[in-house]
Amino acid sequence: MSDSTKEIPAAPSDFIRDIVAKHVAEKKYPHIHTRFPPEPNGYLHIGHAKSICLNFGIAREFGGICNLRMDDTNPTKEDVEYVDSIRADVNWLIAGWADKNLGLNNSKPFYASDYFDQIYEFAIALIKKGKAFVCDLSPDETDEYRRQGKASPFRDRSVEENLDLFARMKAGEFPDGKRSLRAKIQPDSPNIWLRDPLIYRIKHAEHHQTGAKWCIYPMYDFAHCLSDYIEGITHSICTLEFEVHRPLYDWILESLDLPRALPKQYEFARLALGYTVMSKRKLMQLVNEKLVTGWDDPRMPTISGIRRRGVTPEALRNFAYNIGITKYNGITDVAVLEHAIREDLNKRALRRLAVLRPLKIVIANFPEGKIEELDAVNNPEDENAGKRKIPFSRELFIERDDFQEIPPPKFFRLKPGGEVRLKYAYIIKCDEVVKDASGKIVELRCTADLDSKSGGATAGRKVKGTIHWVSAKHAIDVEVRLYDRLFTVPEPDADGDFKKFLNPHSLEVITAKLEPSLKDAKSNERYQFERLAYFALDKDSSPEKIIFNRTITLKDAWAKEAQKI
Ligand code: ATP
Ligand code: MG
């Protein structure tokens, strides 16, 4: 068990946790039992992460259980690929949280489809109580009748006829849409969800878990409350749009005169995040139209994309805690997410030197062939991270941006005749700018103050700028993928055509010069290329072809842009 499982963080308080805490104090239930019920029709996104952290977090904080349940009642839209990705994503996000009680110890998640037999029996029980009927209206007619608050002409069928027709629906006697099973509640209820809603429909389709066994499938509203009941869920937490379904949730359970305590539904505001889209349908569109490389493209707001980009589960969980749980829908500023990521990476990232856009410099007074091994600090935020050696030689690369031939005022990096400190090394002075025939700067000739490195006579001498560098001979050439926000506006969804706001510069691929220690970079480590950004190895990186992804820049360049306008 890792440290993070032992010590439960100060949990945030919110209205749902307050309700749970009250129930715990009253000993209302033997234990608290929540669930996270994704439909396996797409990959999980950061909105789901909020719900996972809430449901698993409550189980963890109150010594309860949380089930991961595939809400798989719609066979035509679902797929095992999604089941697998959901399991992987949830496991990753709650890693270090997955202590004994968490329901997901991951032999097998729960499936609503495992309960199809029981749910079918519950439907028969409703029919026998005169609370459900088989309806022959077409799907369109049903919608229209419900919209108008009109009763179905088939509403008063006898129990016997309903039982017979429902059994024949199950036996496959009728084509899709020919008949349905509907709850008998109130055709003209002010709440449309109570206007005799569908509870079973005919769908001749194979299911990824149950194969060809069924040709009728329960509707979400019917399956969901019953799955909650079957699993012994106490707090069924969902997003606000289900508030209007709650009377139906309660009606179904109460109508069945069930022996055990009934689950209760609670709703909270879903996460909407700036500069992205969140609906599975739109994310799928980005994937299918190849506007991104896949569901786990590091620019996607999916959990797998965010993970691939190099974000840690701790950062995502902190984000979920920071945003809180409320009843009010609103858009969360993406800066809140980025702040959580930076805060986490600042603590853990190993500092390394790397040059993204190299400009060669030659230290004229440093002997050819000489190599010095200099000490560099691995992480100033973590004294246990120690030091490493970095090679220094006569020819180096610095960042092209760190030199300006005609510098603006207050430019404290390198300029003709000016001095700058090379991080962990010497103060250098630029003596000469070498250009090619086209006038492009190809090299700088410099001299070093050879007493100015750590331990030297002029080590304490101050110059205004410090820049990073790598030794030309020792640097490794590596593919670096510079990711940025996928959309250019905070609300790409606002007027429908979200694709017109795709950021054309959301990915730039370059070959960068990295300090040689990075050839042993590990996928579980995080790196800060000093003065630049945080990076992590891509999942496709290999010793033969190292690939780094930029997780996030050190500072928010977008905020600076916004100020300029
Ligand atoms: P669909 O349109 O496919 O139903 P969905 O976003 O509702 O999409 P589900 O797989 O049904 O996806 O969601 C699983 C759980 O995650 C639900 O309990 C849902 O309320 C919650 N959830 C989904 N989106 C968000 C979000 N943006 N913020 C918080 N919770 C969310
Ligand atoms: Mg849903």
Side-chain angles (χ1 to χ4, degrees):
M1 200 191 280
S2 75
D3 284 342
S4 62
T5 48
K6 277 184 218 141
E7 131 207 349
I8 294 183
S13 110
D14 53 60
F15 75 97
I16 294 187
R17 284 178 166 91
D18 290 348
I19 293 168
V20 174
K22 183 166 163 285
H23 290 163
V24 169
E26 290 167 352
K27 299 197 173 43
K28 187 173 162 98
Y29 304 101
H31 65 261
I32 299 301
H33 204 149
T34 56
R35 87 286 171 267
F36 170 65
E39 182 177 356
N41 61 354
Y43 279 57
L44 298 181
H45 53 58
I46 188 166
H48 294 114
K50 176 177 179 181
S51 178
I52 295 168
C53 290
L54 177 63
N55 281 294
F56 282 92
I58 285 178
R60 176 165 189 253
E61 292 148 29
F62 294 95
I65 301 175
C66 178
N67 295 357
L68 168 60
R69 181 201 310 146
M70 303 297 160
D71 221 327
D72 54 351
T73 53
N74 187 356
T76 50
K77 285 199 178 154
E78 297 162 6
D79 197 281
V80 277
E81 176 195 350
Y82 302 133
V83 170
D84 294 343
S85 73
I86 288 170
R87 291 178 70 176
D89 289 348
V90 173
N91 273 329
W92 174 79
L93 186 57
I94 66 168
W97 263 14
D99 22 35
K100 53 191 184 309
N101 285 330
L102 277 176
L104 181 86
N105 271 337
N106 189 22
S107 40
K108 182 175 175 305
F110 297 80
Y111 291 88
S113 56
D114 281 347
Y115 315 134
F116 281 173
D117 284 311
Q118 291 172 76
I119 293 172
Y120 178 75
E121 292 303 325
F122 283 128
I124 288 181
L126 272 192
I127 294 174
K128 287 185 176 161
K129 287 174 185 287
K131 291 181 174 174
F133 66 98
V134 172
C135 180
D136 298 359
L137 292 178
S138 71
D140 285 346
E141 287 166 337
T142 311
D143 284 351
E144 189 50 31
Y145 272 62
R146 292 186 66 210
R147 210 179 51 74
Q148 293 181 18
K150 254 170 55 181
S152 161
F154 305 96
R155 197 168 193 264
D156 293 319
R157 274 181 164 146
S158 68
V159 169
E160 290 65 37
E161 192 184 1
N162 282 323
L163 287 173
D164 174 60
L165 285 172
F166 189 48
R168 288 165 59 194
M169 280 169 62
K170 179 181 182 236
E173 276 189 36
F174 314 117
D176 288 6
K178 183 76 185 162
R179 294 198 151 92
S180 63
L181 185 70
R182 295 176 60 182
K184 203 168 173 177
I185 309 178
Q186 187 188 338
D188 61 352
S189 165
N191 181 342
I192 194 160
W193 299 102
L194 295 182
R195 294 183 188 171
D196 293 1
L198 254 67
I199 58 179
Y200 259 93
R201 63 180 157 180
I202 302 173
K203 212 168 220 197
H204 290 268
E206 291 218 358
H207 188 283
H208 53 100
Q209 302 298 321
T210 58
K213 178 170 174 187
W214 295 91
C215 64
I216 55 170
Y217 290 94
M219 301 301 290
Y220 169 87
D221 279 321
F222 193 57
H224 196 87
C225 55
L226 290 170
S227 304
D228 283 346
Y229 174 76
I230 291 166
E231 290 178 11
I233 302 302
T234 54
H235 298 75
S236 179
I237 302 168
C238 59
T239 38
L240 279 179
E241 67 276 18
F242 288 99
E243 195 165 10
V244 284
H245 297 233
R246 186 172 0 119
L248 176 56
Y249 184 102
D250 291 337
W251 182 90
I252 294 168
L253 294 173
E254 284 161 13
S255 298
L256 284 164
D257 297 315
L258 297 164
R260 289 188 283 116
L262 301 183
K264 285 276 166 212
Q265 178 182 304
Y266 305 88
E267 307 88 14
F268 69 100
R270 61 171 46 233
L271 171 69
L273 191 64
Y275 291 91
T276 192
V277 295
M278 201 79 94
S279 108
K280 276 191 233 171
R281 193 175 53 76
K282 287 180 181 145
L283 296 175
M284 187 165 306
Q285 215 176 323
L286 293 172
V287 174
N288 290 343
E289 294 176 22
K290 302 208 172 352
L291 298 166
V292 292
T293 58
W295 284 98
D296 69 347
D297 185 301
R299 292 165 291 183
M300 289 280 270
T302 51
I303 295 182
S304 51
I306 292 170
R307 168 170 70 234
R308 182 168 177 185
R309 191 154 165 163
V311 174
T312 69
E314 289 83 356
L316 259 195
R317 296 199 302 249
N318 287 343
F319 167 70
Y321 268 17
N322 292 345
I323 53 177
I325 301 294
T326 70
K327 276 243 175 219
Y328 310 99
N329 281 319
I331 296 185
T332 299
D333 190 338
V334 68
V336 179
L337 172 64
E338 294 174 344
H339 173 76
I341 297 171
R342 287 192 181 100
E343 204 176 47
D344 172 73
L345 292 177
N346 180 44
K347 278 186 247 147
R348 71 173 74 231
L350 295 171
R351 273 52 172 180
R352 292 293 182 261
L353 297 187
V355 172
L356 300 186
R357 297 168 215 279
L359 172 61
K360 190 169 173 191
I361 67 170
V362 177
I363 314 288
N365 61 339
F366 197 86
E368 232 160 303
K370 179 173 173 184
I371 298 160
E372 262 186 274
E373 296 283 333
L374 304 176
D375 281 330
V377 175
N378 282 330
N379 184 355
E381 302 287 320
D382 175 6
E383 38 186 68
N384 300 320
K387 290 184 175 172
R388 70 189 184 287
K389 297 283 185 197
I390 45 172
F392 185 91
S393 64
R394 180 181 159 92
E395 295 192 357
L396 311 170
F397 291 114
I398 63 166
E399 211 67 61
R400 208 158 255 284
D401 274 4
D402 281 336
F403 174 77
Q404 294 276 335
E405 193 174 18
I406 305 161
K410 299 208 175 137
F411 183 82
F412 298 125
R413 292 169 279 162
L414 199 57
K415 52 193 168 193
E419 281 190 321
V420 82
R421 180 174 285 280
L422 296 176
K423 183 110 200 206
Y424 304 119
Y426 303 98
I427 293 172
I428 59 164
K429 181 168 167 213
C430 174
D431 301 318
E432 191 190 337
V433 180
V434 183
K435 297 182 182 174
D436 66 11
S438 71
K440 185 177 177 224
I441 301 171
V442 290
E443 187 180 303
L444 304 176
R445 316 270 318 168
C446 303
T447 44
D449 171 354
L450 294 173
D451 291 321
S452 62
K453 78 167 176 183
S454 174
T458 56
R461 190 155 78 80
K462 291 265 182 288
V463 288
K464 281 221 162 118
T466 299
I467 63 173
H468 61 275
W469 54 274
V470 291
S471 165
K473 188 157 60 187
H474 302 93
I476 52 171
D477 283 354
V478 163
E479 177 170 324
V480 171
R481 298 176 181 171
L482 302 173
Y483 290 106
D484 201 351
R485 293 179 186 170
L486 188 52
F487 292 95
T488 53
V489 295
E491 291 181 62
D493 247 348
D495 74 348
D497 185 11
F498 66 102
K499 285 185 289 181
K500 71 174 184 238
F501 299 113
L502 277 166
N503 176 5
H505 308 295
S506 61
L507 170 61
E508 188 187 352
V509 181
I510 58 169
T511 301
K513 304 267 180 198
L514 274 45
E515 71 165 77
S517 74
L518 282 167
K519 71 174 181 300
D520 300 319
K522 295 185 182 61
S523 57
N524 61 347
E525 288 286 5
R526 297 294 178 269
Y527 300 93
Q528 184 198 97
F529 294 177
E530 291 205 40
R531 301 181 59 236
L532 296 169
Y534 294 103
F535 291 83
L537 286 180
D538 185 71
K539 77 169 182 14
D540 289 341
S541 180
S542 68
E544 294 71 46
K545 183 173 197 293
I546 298 176
I547 305 168
F548 272 101
N549 292 333
R550 181 170 72 193
T551 311
I552 194 161
T553 52
L554 293 185
K555 289 200 195 90
D556 182 357
W558 289 73
K560 227 164 44 189
E561 277 308 306
Q563 269 169 12
K564 272 194 220 157
I565 297 165

